[in-house]
Amino acid sequence: MPPESEAQAKTDQCTVNGKKEDTLQSVCAELHARVSAFLAEDPVDNRLRSVQEQTRTSLGVISEALNRYTFSELSLSYNGGKDCLVLLILFLTALHTHTLTHHLSLPPLIQSVYIVSQHPFPEVESFVATSSHTYHLDLARYAKPMKAAFAEYLEEKQDVKAIFVGTRRTDPHGEELTFFDATDRGWPRFMRVHPVIDWHYAEIWSFIRHLDIPYCELYDKGYTSLGGTTDTHPNPALKASTTDSEVSGEEGFWPAYELVEDDYNAYNQGQYSTTSYGAQGGAGGGGFTPGSQGGSQDTPGGVSKYGKDTLRPVTIKQVIDAQQPHPDGEFKIDGVEITQITFIGQIRNISSQATNITYKLDDGTGTMEIKLWVDSESSSHLTSGMDTTNGTDPSKPRLVENAYARVWGRLKAFNNKRHVGAHVIRPLADYNEIQYHLLEAAYAHLYFTRGPPEQFAAAATEKGAPGVNGGRQQGQQQQQDGGYGDAAGGAGSGPPLHMLSVPARRVFNTLKSSPQNNEGLHVQNIAAQLGLQVSDVLKAGDELLGHGRIYTTIDDNTWAILDL
């Protein structure tokens, strides 16, 4: 059977085991039997073994939720996607055990909510309709933004206190979630329950295919998440070559289950955008987009920025000082929004967990925790350091304490604590890269705070060129005022420092007039020359450091002019 017709045939059956099921109780019993048989199997490979472990964990989380809340207090977020489909199957399986253990009767239907995309796929709508009928869902539909949809739903279902959500760890903004998380401030209040939070993409598909669960036919056409027709496209990573005769259909994409890496990574590599209107129908988030709690819901125009990333070289101090206008807002450095960042630091500590590795890096300007999520199948990453493919060669650099590493990732904040979620972290093979990176970071800072260098080169030619007395005098006056006149060397393309405090200008002029060397001047020497208190000099130094006018050299209290 061709790949694109396989899921449709399953969908058209609208059955659990080849026959029509009439009651929720019989559906739960059938699914319980199939999942129990799967858990009793002797796994043929590590993938199935990990799926069995994930299944047991998720069933435990669902059981805990069933013990905390009554049936009327529970609901399920469902959009027909792969993640919430697995969640639904596990929920119905756990229901069977729970009702037998506690001698309870099941309600005729399961409370659930479906937040519809602004431009839904007909295939998604069809699958949601048939699967909600098959699995006996009392599905409330809302074609509106997520926050408003949940507010209205909870107004109508006032007994609901907790909602099952299919968010996974590798979804955007999902890395800090736990099994039970209350909604964020400003959102309708309920408990989010994440039973499949630690599942990986390949594990989701292994479960669905091993248990022969019907799924939406779009997944067989190269879609790895289900959103709307205007913003969701087949994953470019699944594009088949013209010689792949096994791929049928005019689109020429392999099925979604052919990917072995987490779909969030492939999603970013594919560089296609999604919308947050209606939560993309919950694309990739099991009916409840994780980004909606972390900012993408309020992105102007409703469009996520994952397809429009920039890469900014930074120092850790810049990351620490980055501004966030509000808890859901994007971080800004030098007044410019940042998406992906890169920096270099020395590894001070490494902490390995089952699903992630936490590195603490120090680049001389500050320290920052770096979290790298790893696939359970890729335990070698714990020793090889992700981007390092050095095998067993002891002469090659590795990610170990006190080694230097470069990080690429995103700045995250959770409970008022910042960290960087790393896409890649690799050891440094050439220490010249440290200085090169610092120059890049300084250049980017100056570019965003002073403007492109071309405009100042033109200004210098016009106002301070040799032979033009007025321009020369203006440049000299600018230098005396503490600015970068044309006699200030390579940094002489910036505006004057009149916006800084008087002590900051005095400290700057002292540093500039002192003999230039690699070490600069210590705070004590500056204080003695200027007749200022050390505390005043330190305050002025912080001001100059923050504006990128000076930099620290041999220690935090020894400074030199940043002369580019």
Side-chain angles (χ1 to χ4, degrees):
M1 181 178 293
E4 61 263 35
S5 61
E6 176 184 350
Q8 183 62 56
K10 292 179 179 180
T11 302
D12 292 341
Q13 293 174 12
C14 295
T15 63
V16 177
N17 195 29
K19 62 181 184 300
K20 180 71 177 179
E21 298 288 356
D22 295 325
T23 67
L24 176 60
Q25 183 177 359
S26 58
V27 171
C28 291
E30 170 65 20
L31 291 173
H32 179 271
R34 291 166 65 180
V35 172
S36 297
F38 166 62
L39 293 177
E41 291 180 15
D42 186 15
V44 297
D45 54 32
N46 289 333
R47 173 66 49 73
L48 282 182
R49 181 176 290 106
S50 68
V51 175
Q52 288 176 329
E53 293 173 357
Q54 296 281 30
T55 299
R56 294 186 182 96
T57 299
S58 297
L59 289 173
V61 174
I62 297 170
S63 177
E64 172 65 22
L66 290 170
N67 289 328
R68 291 189 190 185
Y69 304 98
T70 64
F71 292 147
S72 63
E73 293 173 336
L74 287 168
S75 183
L76 182 140
S77 180
Y78 183 72
N79 73 327
K82 62 187 184 304
D83 302 326
C84 59
L85 178 60
V86 170
L87 169 60
L88 174 59
I89 299 303
L90 295 173
F91 177 59
L92 297 176
T93 299
L95 274 181
H96 179 75
T97 303
H98 185 75
T99 53
L100 289 181
T101 302
H102 298 279
H103 307 289
L104 300 173
S105 296
L106 281 170
L109 298 172
I110 298 296
Q111 294 186 132
S112 52
V113 55
Y114 172 33
I115 302 177
V116 187
S117 172
Q118 186 177 17
H119 304 284
F121 282 94
E123 295 91 339
V124 173
E125 291 289 275
S126 175
F127 180 75
V128 168
T130 56
S131 59
S132 61
H133 177 74
T134 299
Y135 299 117
H136 296 267
L137 300 182
D138 178 16
L139 195 65
R141 296 169 54 97
Y142 299 93
K144 56 179 60 180
M146 179 168 289
K147 185 184 294 187
F150 276 115
E152 185 173 335
Y153 178 67
L154 293 176
E155 181 66 26
E156 296 173 0
K157 302 282 187 178
Q158 296 190 10
D159 289 339
V160 171
K161 295 182 179 179
I163 299 178
F164 287 99
V165 182
T167 300
R168 293 187 294 111
R169 185 75 64 195
T170 49
D171 289 326
H173 303 283
E175 60 185 30
E176 295 291 350
L177 295 178
T178 64
F179 292 130
F180 294 86
D181 291 289
T183 49
D184 297 340
R185 183 177 59 186
W187 279 73
R189 300 302 296 170
F190 61 89
M191 181 66 70
R192 294 170 291 168
V193 186
H194 306 112
V196 297
I197 186 66
D198 288 322
W199 286 59
H200 290 278
Y201 180 84
E203 293 169 340
I204 290 288
W205 278 114
S206 293
F207 182 90
I208 290 173
R209 302 190 72 220
H210 194 80
L211 273 71
D212 199 29
I213 304 297
Y215 55 84
C216 180
E217 64 182 281
L218 285 181
Y219 286 122
D220 279 335
K221 298 179 180 180
Y223 291 82
T224 52
S225 63
L226 303 182
T229 57
T230 61
D231 53 69
T232 307
H233 311 283
N235 194 317
L238 290 168
K239 179 70 174 177
S241 67
T242 55
T243 60
D244 289 327
S245 58
E246 297 179 19
V247 179
S248 57
E250 60 182 3
E251 293 88 355
F253 286 86
W254 289 99
Y257 54 76
E258 293 291 343
L259 280 181
V260 296
E261 297 295 336
D262 284 307
D263 54 350
Y264 176 47
N265 295 330
Y267 182 95
N268 280 312
Q269 293 163 5
Q271 292 292 296
Y272 59 91
S273 63
T274 63
T275 179
S276 62
Y277 181 94
Q280 313 159 35
F288 188 22
T289 299
S292 66
Q293 292 288 321
S296 67
Q297 177 72 16
D298 298 321
T299 300
V303 178
S304 170
K305 298 183 178 179
Y306 285 101
K308 304 175 183 178
D309 285 344
T310 58
L311 181 63
R312 172 81 182 265
V314 295
T315 64
I316 290 178
K317 186 179 189 304
Q318 286 180 296
V319 175
I320 295 172
D321 293 341
Q323 301 297 311
Q324 191 178 26
H326 53 86
D328 290 338
E330 297 288 343
F331 285 98
K332 293 184 177 182
I333 294 179
D334 299 326
V336 180
E337 287 189 1
I338 57 172
T339 52
Q340 298 190 75
I341 57 176
T342 181
F343 56 87
I344 293 174
Q346 190 173 24
I347 301 173
R348 297 302 190 188
N349 182 264
I350 302 176
S351 175
S352 298
Q353 306 294 328
T355 58
N356 70 86
I357 311 173
T358 300
Y359 300 87
K360 178 172 285 188
L361 262 65
D362 180 351
D363 72 344
T365 69
T367 60
M368 178 64 60
E369 285 191 350
I370 319 299
K371 287 185 182 294
L372 180 69
W373 297 98
V374 297
D375 193 308
S376 58
E377 291 289 301
S378 306
S379 59
S380 62
H381 290 171
L382 296 175
T383 56
S384 65
M386 283 301 292
D387 196 38
T388 306
T389 55
N390 300 324
T392 58
D393 187 347
S395 65
K396 299 293 185 180
R398 304 179 72 83
L399 291 175
V400 295
E401 290 186 8
N402 297 320
Y404 282 84
R406 178 183 279 276
V407 174
W408 288 265
R410 293 178 182 272
L411 178 58
K412 310 283 186 179
F414 183 70
N415 284 344
N416 295 320
K417 183 179 180 181
R418 296 183 180 184
H419 73 276
V420 171
H423 305 321
V424 175
I425 177 170
R426 65 163 174 79
L428 251 60
D430 184 351
Y431 288 101
N432 289 321
E433 188 174 351
I434 299 173
Q435 303 303 324
Y436 181 80
H437 168 75
L438 291 175
L439 288 172
E440 279 192 315
Y443 178 86
H445 167 73
L446 293 170
Y447 183 95
F448 288 117
T449 55
R450 302 184 187 178
E454 293 82 5
Q455 69 183 49
F456 295 109
T461 301
E462 178 180 349
K463 297 181 179 181
V468 183
N469 295 332
R472 173 66 66 187
Q473 292 168 0
Q474 181 179 359
Q476 292 170 347
Q477 180 62 43
Q478 184 179 22
Q479 182 183 4
Q480 292 168 4
D481 289 341
Y484 286 155
D486 91 353
S493 55
L497 297 175
H498 65 273
M499 297 300 294
L500 298 182
S501 65
V502 173
R505 293 201 299 270
R506 293 184 64 193
V507 169
F508 179 84
N509 284 329
T510 300
L511 288 169
K512 186 169 58 177
S513 61
S514 66
Q516 300 300 302
N517 55 54
N518 292 331
E519 292 187 3
L521 281 180
H522 191 272
V523 169
Q524 298 282 0
N525 294 335
I526 299 173
Q529 290 186 37
L530 296 176
L532 294 174
Q533 297 291 328
V534 172
S535 58
D536 293 333
V537 175
L538 288 172
K539 185 176 180 180
D542 287 339
E543 187 176 353
L544 292 167
L545 287 166
H547 284 76
R549 304 293 183 174
I550 63 175
Y551 66 99
T552 59
T553 58
I554 58 176
D555 58 42
D556 289 343
N557 293 327
T558 304
W559 307 324
I561 290 289
L562 184 58
D563 186 6
L564 296 181

